[in-house]
Amino acid sequence: MTGEKTKTVPYTVPVGPIHPALKEPVMFTFTMEGEQVRDVDFAPGQTHRGIEWMGMRRNPVQIVHLTDRICGICGLVHSLAFARAVEQVAEIEVPARADYIRTIMGELERIQSHLLWAGVAAHELGFDTLLYLSWRVREQAMDLIELISGNRVNYAMIQIGGVRRDITPEQIPKIRELLSTYKGLQEKLLQIFLRDASITLRCRDHGILSPQMARDLCVVGPTARASGIRMDVRVDYPYAAYGDLEIEPILPDRLTGEIRGDVYDRIIVRLLEIPQSIDIIEQCLAAMPEGNIIWEPKLAKLLLTLKKAKGEAVGRHEAPRGEVLHYVRMDGKESPTTWKVKASSYSNLMSWIPMLRGEQIADIPIIVASIDPCLSCTDRVAIVRGTGRSIMTKEDLHRLSVEKTRRLQR
Amino acid sequence: MKPTPSFNRSLWVFHLNSGSCNGCEIEIVATLMPRYDPERFGIKLVGSPKHADVILVTGPVTKKMADRVKRTYEQVPDPKVVMCIGTCGESGGVFYDSYSLAGPIDDVIPVDVYVSGCPPRPEAIIHGVVKALAKLERLEAAP
């Protein structure tokens, strides 16, 4: 059902790729029956920039800066997952202090990303005052990220073997100040989002994703946790400093005592993850050891080690949107032989289809936004041959995949 | 086309993502938020290119988006200003050697103001709008 337009019921409503409700290009085709969505199809791929292909022609230190730019909201998650994969291949041990700084930055990023999402969700509900409120408080987190890293977005904090900038003693009071500001705001945010009658009416029992469906579609992160699946890479597979800390995956029943897997539950999970991140940063500040922040500060030496590295590894990180996975294989050459990125939204996008079926047309924006989609992370493939369009089926993709594996084994 | 004097009093902006990493998008939205509040100068984001005076183009223009970028540009009524936000729209940036790019942006549509940075700070984006206004004033003063 691509672009087939009919004037009788069911009729087709195309949305995108350029549309005011979408910040990023993606093409939706809704099959409507009156106000009700009968079926939905979507075509991503508009932001495909061929990042993996470019990466396989650059050395790992150059790739770190490329990974920053896979997604502009999460400037750290991809570089951390990639660095962790390469560190495992090259058997590089990251200093403990660097692990703590990575954790602090990762959690600051989660705070700003969840506040950003809260604003977008409020905007999609038509509650623009709340958009302005959330984004105003988000600016304080951006200021702190800028103070630590030197940039608001794409902070380039990660280097293979550690981090590029230290957290100085003068910065610590500023971090604590921000944490106490957010602690004071928390109750207000929960009050506005969860006890507002119109938000509850719009979000309760809409866009439901059952636990079974969530498992079948392999969704990750807050979307999975809101459907009652206890999964969090920080707990299941600890890395950086997370192994030393007390963390529990956040499920919506913590607040309401029940799990419905609807849009409201996804709001609860994200809002509760902000105080969790504050708590993690506080634990990190208390336990942060002294020492080096990088395994080898001289780039030439680092590159020489990486050039000799052989093997394959997987690096994972719990991004604000869910698990990010980078697979790297290095064969003793300057650039990796294979680099595969699986962003969190890639796992989550398919959940749109069961969520949107049977919903009203006016609920489409909030349901689409409720999984916090990030398409620039996701678009790994685009087929552009001349001006014609073609669709690859699962069988075609499987055949290509088998061929590629054979090529690599040769 | 010569703009009328009332034109540059209130610029309406349309944002067009041509395959960007989201960094510039977020900074554009951050620019429109209460801290900077450009709406006091009449600058606001609109939903349709047909309502816009200025288009902010972000991203390096992927092949899939090139035709859509052109079509969106054609829908903006004259006189119009095109602002290219971010380094990858100027030169390709870190994506310079990608097989999937049809851009930089000025290969696809004419650009009036370039705002550099990866991503540019909100202050830089506002500075770019000031430059766009200056350009419009020059056009207005021309005989």
Side-chain angles (χ1 to χ4, degrees), chain A residues 20 72 83 107 203 214 228 241 283 339 344 366 399:
Chain A
E107 295 307 317
C203 299
Q283 290 185 46
W339 172 35
S344 30
I366 181 64
R399 181 176 47 78

Side-chain angles (χ1 to χ4, degrees), chain A residues 17-18 20 23-25 44-51 53-54 58 65-66 69-73 116 131-132 135-136 138-140 142-143 146 151-154 374 376 382 384 389, chain B residues 14-23 25-27 29-30 32-36 39 45 47-48 60 62-65 68-69 72 94-101 118-119 121-122:
Chain A
I18 295 170
K23 284 277 160 285
E24 292 174 88
Q46 280 83 358
T47 59
H48 175 72
R49 287 151 287 161
I51 287 177
W53 184 87
M54 284 185 273
R58 298 184 191 182
H65 296 285
L66 191 59
R69 284 152 183 89
I70 291 179
C71 172
I73 307 174
L116 178 155
L131 160 73
Y132 290 123
W135 279 65
R136 202 199 69 210
R138 175 180 173 267
E139 282 293 317
Q140 287 163 294
M142 299 305 280
D143 286 344
E146 189 183 356
N151 203 4
R152 288 162 53 91
V153 182
N154 294 345
C374 178
S376 59
V384 183
R389 292 183 182 190
Chain B
F14 179 75
H15 166 225
L16 171 62
N17 179 338
S18 74
S20 157
C21 78
N22 259 345
E25 276 63 44
I26 299 304
E27 289 299 75
V29 181
L32 296 164
M33 287 300 130
R35 177 178 280 187
Y36 303 100
E39 206 158 323
L45 209 60
S48 163
T62 59
K63 279 187 182 160
K64 237 179 166 172
M65 287 302 283
R68 279 131 182 178
V69 169
T72 313
V94 282
F95 314 120
Y96 72 98
D97 59 348
S98 169
Y99 57 82
S100 180
L101 301 189
C118 189
R121 297 178 55 84

Side-chain angles (χ1 to χ4, degrees), chain A residues 33 278 298 319 354 392:
Chain A
E33 237 177 47
I278 294 172
K298 289 199 183 81
M392 296 208 100

Side-chain angles (χ1 to χ4, degrees), chain A residues 95-102 166-168 288-293:
Chain A
R97 188 175 174 83
D99 269 342
Y100 275 83
I101 296 174
R102 284 177 172 189
D166 203 353
I167 292 180
T168 58
M288 193 155 72
E290 290 299 316
N292 288 335
I293 56 162

Side-chain angles (χ1 to χ4, degrees), chain A residues 19-264:
Chain A
H19 189 271
L22 304 166
K23 284 277 160 285
E24 292 174 88
V26 61
M27 173 82 197
F28 283 97
T29 318
F30 294 100
T31 310
M32 305 296 300
E33 237 177 47
E35 285 280 298
Q36 212 175 37
V37 180
R38 190 203 253 188
D39 210 349
V40 51
D41 190 14
F42 67 94
Q46 280 83 358
T47 59
H48 175 72
R49 287 151 287 161
I51 287 177
E52 287 166 357
W53 184 87
M54 284 185 273
M56 286 184 257
R57 276 145 194 82
R58 298 184 191 182
N59 70 43
V61 172
Q62 290 169 326
I63 298 178
V64 169
H65 296 285
L66 191 59
T67 53
D68 274 351
R69 284 152 183 89
I70 291 179
C71 172
I73 307 174
C74 330
L76 183 109
V77 300
H78 287 286
S79 36
L80 178 52
F82 175 74
R84 281 183 35 74
V86 173
E87 281 152 12
Q88 287 172 56
V89 175
E91 288 170 2
I92 290 172
E93 199 176 325
V94 179
R97 188 175 174 83
D99 269 342
Y100 275 83
I101 296 174
R102 284 177 172 189
T103 310
I104 292 174
M105 286 308 286
E107 295 307 317
L108 279 175
E109 186 168 82
R110 195 180 315 278
I111 294 175
Q112 66 91 357
S113 176
H114 283 349
L115 284 171
L116 178 155
W117 176 83
V120 171
H123 172 70
E124 304 293 13
L125 287 166
F127 198 164
D128 271 354
T129 321
L130 195 47
L131 160 73
Y132 290 123
L133 177 79
S134 315
W135 279 65
R136 202 199 69 210
V137 295
R138 175 180 173 267
E139 282 293 317
Q140 287 163 294
M142 299 305 280
D143 286 344
L144 186 70
I145 289 171
E146 189 183 356
L147 180 79
I148 296 172
S149 73
N151 203 4
R152 288 162 53 91
V153 182
N154 294 345
Y155 356 99
M157 274 298 272
I158 304 288
Q159 179 59 285
I160 291 164
V163 288
R164 293 175 68 228
R165 285 179 195 84
D166 203 353
I167 292 180
T168 58
E170 303 87 70
Q171 287 167 347
I172 289 175
K174 294 239 167 68
I175 300 178
R176 288 195 199 279
E177 196 186 315
L178 177 93
L179 297 184
S180 61
T181 317
Y182 280 153
K183 269 188 201 158
L185 276 170
Q186 187 56 34
E187 204 38 55
K188 199 175 171 188
L189 273 178
L190 285 177
Q191 179 76 25
I192 299 173
F193 271 98
L194 302 180
R195 289 177 196 74
D196 182 278
S198 56
I199 293 186
T200 313
L201 279 172
R202 290 290 307 274
C203 299
R204 240 334 171 196
D205 297 323
H206 286 289
I208 293 177
L209 185 70
S210 66
Q212 187 55 44
M213 203 46 125
R215 266 198 200 93
D216 290 349
L217 292 171
C218 306
V219 300
V220 292
T223 314
R225 290 195 282 276
S227 289
I229 296 173
R230 288 183 76 80
M231 63 165 290
D232 189 326
V233 185
R234 295 174 292 175
V235 179
D236 305 337
Y237 181 81
Y239 55 95
Y242 290 113
D244 308 346
L245 310 171
E246 293 282 325
I247 328 172
E248 270 282 296
I250 288 190
L251 268 66
D253 57 352
R254 190 177 283 211
L255 201 72
T256 54
E258 56 176 346
I259 296 171
R260 297 200 202 171
D262 52 10
V263 175
Y264 194 79

